[in-house]
Amino acid sequence: MAPHRARGEEASGFLVVPAVFNTDETEHLGLAGSIPVRLRRCAPRPSTRGASVAAPAYGEAVSAPPDRRRSVPRTDTLLADPALATATADLGRPLVKAAVVAAQQQVRDGSLEPAGLIAAVLAGLPSTASSLRPVVNATGVLLHTNLGRAPLSAAAVAAITDAAGTTDVELDLATGRRARRGRGAMAALAAAVPDAGGVHVVGNGAGALVLAVTALAPGGRVVISRGEMVEIGDGFRLQELITSTGASLLEVGTTNRTHLRDYAGALDAVGDAPCVVLKVHPSNFRITGFTSAPSAAELATLCREHGVPLVVDIGSGLLAPHPALPEEPDAATALRAGADLVTASCDKLLGGPQGGLVLGRGDLVERARRHPLARALRVDKLMLSALEATLLGPAAPVVAALEAPVAEITERARRLARELVQGAGEALAPGDVEVVRTTSTVGGGGAPGVPLPSAGLSLPAAFAEALRTGEAPVVARVEGGATVVDLRSVPPAADADLLAALLAGARCVSPRRTPVSPSPREA
């Protein structure tokens, strides 16, 4: 016979006892007839606020608010939803899962209803599997290092897409045998610099210089002017770069003046030890005033007399003279002056992908190409394809920006100003938008101190943050307490995107603007 259950006891054997009620006790005889059993009868606790609280039925459990966590679907259930199949195929399961987990937390926090989970997941997904975001460069700096330096041409972008799969990068399809890596890009580079007897490409400009020094003067001496001991990006210094190869520096001259006799004395002191003379273009600063330095032609003659090679690092990657930058050194001029090797970057004034060029005497380039370090600095098929398309295709965006007439840039600024004022309406106050003359720069370690006349828009200072943090980021510059949108660094094809970002920025800035008290005349 089953034991007797007191009133309020569940079939599971657990007694449900409401915690918020006072109790009265009565005694009854248990089944044994002699053991008194106390049963508790619940009575409502008087309300402290003067309102009566209804008691639940005898033995009834108090109902708790529903737990929102129970309404959140399982992660695997959401990931299996057909609406997320395309996103999973395009972006990968980890990124989609991260968006799912974020949306689930919103439901738990009460900021999202369960019915809106899938829509929230889709809205929270990135457009690509990479965290890098396209940015409109409106700084007026054509080669902005923080923004990736030279933007690629449409032809180079298409070439990268074609090269993303399997390619004939080291295969001769006609014979079925192995071929020289990137032979098409090397042929295009040789055609672009006919004064070079040999050409080679590595990962970046610093790599090109390191490879040249290591191949030509292993463990030897590098003669360099003190006025050319530059510091490059992120705190790296030229002397540290060179000594990392095992070579030692032999500094000559002073910061502002170095003479040919300084180099001659150093070469006499070196004797027969491995040696190279290095001439570096200080491409990220200028020293003016009481200055002097031997030309590349003068150094080339001296080096031939002593039987040592001359390496000229031109930095910015200009392959031939450009009328807009008459003082910027270029590869063709340096080679004609007698440089044995010229090193440079690909992603600056050349307008290509990141890479480093080694150009010059065929035997010396081959020595560098066959050095074991060259393998560590080897470039991939994507860089090779983009470089070839840059050299053979239409003008790179940086070249187009450099050559854009000021009159055309000014007309673009006026048109954007009109459309912005018309589209923004009351979000802009009178005088918020002005067409202004500006000055652009090359940047990226090229043509320091060379001004490029330009034009753009002047907007309230608050626009800088609104544009930078918008859905389609635009990076401008703050100058004189205003946001300046310089159009020389913005390709004309991006004007529509720029206008949309400016309109969105106006709507963002307008509610935060501090009201200005009207003047007595306005009142």
Side-chain angles (χ1 to χ4, degrees), residues 102 297 301 453 476:
T301 300

Side-chain angles (χ1 to χ4, degrees), residues 65-211:
D67 191 343
R68 295 187 64 88
R69 292 175 295 181
R70 296 182 180 275
S71 64
V72 180
R74 291 166 52 96
T75 302
D76 54 356
T77 301
L78 290 171
L79 289 172
D81 193 294
L84 300 181
T86 301
T88 302
D90 292 342
L91 301 176
R93 185 181 175 90
L95 282 177
V96 177
K97 182 178 179 180
V100 165
V101 171
Q104 288 174 319
Q105 188 59 46
Q106 288 181 280
V107 175
R108 297 186 185 99
D109 295 341
S111 59
L112 177 68
E113 293 298 325
L117 258 170
I118 295 298
V121 171
L122 293 172
L125 290 172
S127 57
T128 68
S130 170
S131 63
L132 293 179
R133 297 180 63 186
V135 170
V136 175
N137 176 15
T139 64
V141 181
L142 305 189
L143 299 170
H144 201 301
T145 300
N146 302 140
L147 301 181
R149 290 185 179 163
L152 296 179
S153 66
V157 173
I160 288 178
T161 301
D162 290 340
T166 52
T167 68
D168 59 343
V169 63
E170 289 186 12
L171 177 68
D172 185 336
L173 294 175
T175 64
R177 296 182 178 180
R178 183 171 183 170
R180 182 182 176 184
R181 183 180 184 86
R183 57 201 176 279
M186 297 302 101
L189 182 57
V193 192
D195 295 285
V199 297
H200 186 60
V201 180
V202 295
N204 58 22
L209 180 56
V210 166
L211 179 60

Side-chain angles (χ1 to χ4, degrees), residues 201-497:
V201 180
V202 295
N204 58 22
L209 180 56
V210 166
L211 179 60
V213 170
T214 305
L216 300 187
R221 309 297 294 273
V222 176
V223 181
I224 183 173
S225 169
R226 288 186 174 89
E228 298 173 1
M229 303 275 285
V230 301
E231 179 174 298
I232 56 180
D234 201 22
F236 288 95
R237 295 179 173 178
L238 186 66
Q239 61 266 34
E240 298 168 347
L241 195 67
I242 294 172
T243 55
S244 70
T245 69
S248 58
L249 288 175
L250 189 54
E251 303 172 23
V252 298
T254 63
T255 302
N256 60 318
R257 292 177 67 84
T258 303
H259 304 283
L260 192 62
R261 63 178 181 270
D262 296 321
Y263 288 94
L267 292 178
D268 290 338
V270 169
D272 296 332
C275 179
V276 62
V277 172
L278 175 61
K279 183 173 180 57
V280 177
H281 171 52
S283 58
N284 55 9
F285 71 95
R286 293 183 71 180
I287 299 178
T288 60
F290 188 57
T291 63
S292 68
S295 66
E298 292 173 321
L299 287 175
T301 300
L302 179 67
C303 287
R304 282 194 296 269
E305 293 173 354
H306 286 78
V308 300
L310 170 64
V311 177
V312 176
D313 182 80
I314 63 172
S316 66
L318 195 63
L319 299 184
H322 194 285
L325 306 171
E327 297 183 6
E328 186 72 7
D330 63 275
T333 301
L335 291 170
R336 291 171 189 169
D340 296 292
L341 286 184
V342 170
T343 59
S345 296
C346 296
D347 56 342
K348 296 181 181 179
L349 287 173
L350 176 57
Q354 179 173 298
L357 305 178
V358 180
L359 316 168
R361 278 174 45 185
D363 60 326
L364 298 185
V365 172
E366 185 63 16
R367 189 193 304 182
R369 191 179 75 86
R370 298 304 305 168
H371 193 278
L373 183 59
R375 176 71 179 189
L377 300 173
R378 189 176 75 168
V379 296
D380 73 337
K381 59 184 180 179
L382 302 182
M383 186 275 173
L384 290 169
S385 62
L387 176 61
E388 183 177 359
T390 299
L391 293 167
L392 299 180
V398 64
V399 177
L402 187 64
E403 299 175 350
V406 178
E408 292 183 6
I409 300 175
T410 303
E411 181 55 35
R412 289 172 55 202
R414 290 170 178 162
R415 185 178 65 253
L416 281 170
R418 289 194 301 269
E419 294 176 352
L420 175 58
V421 171
Q422 293 171 0
E426 296 181 355
L428 290 175
D432 275 353
V433 183
E434 294 183 28
V435 176
V436 294
R437 294 180 181 179
T438 64
T439 300
S440 301
T441 59
V442 172
V450 177
L452 302 174
S454 184
L457 304 180
S458 176
L459 305 164
F463 265 80
E465 179 183 356
L467 292 173
R468 191 180 64 252
T469 57
E471 183 177 351
V474 174
V475 180
R477 69 175 187 262
V478 177
E479 187 176 274
T483 299
V484 176
V485 177
D486 193 319
L487 294 183
R488 184 174 283 279
S489 57
V490 179
D495 280 357
D497 294 335

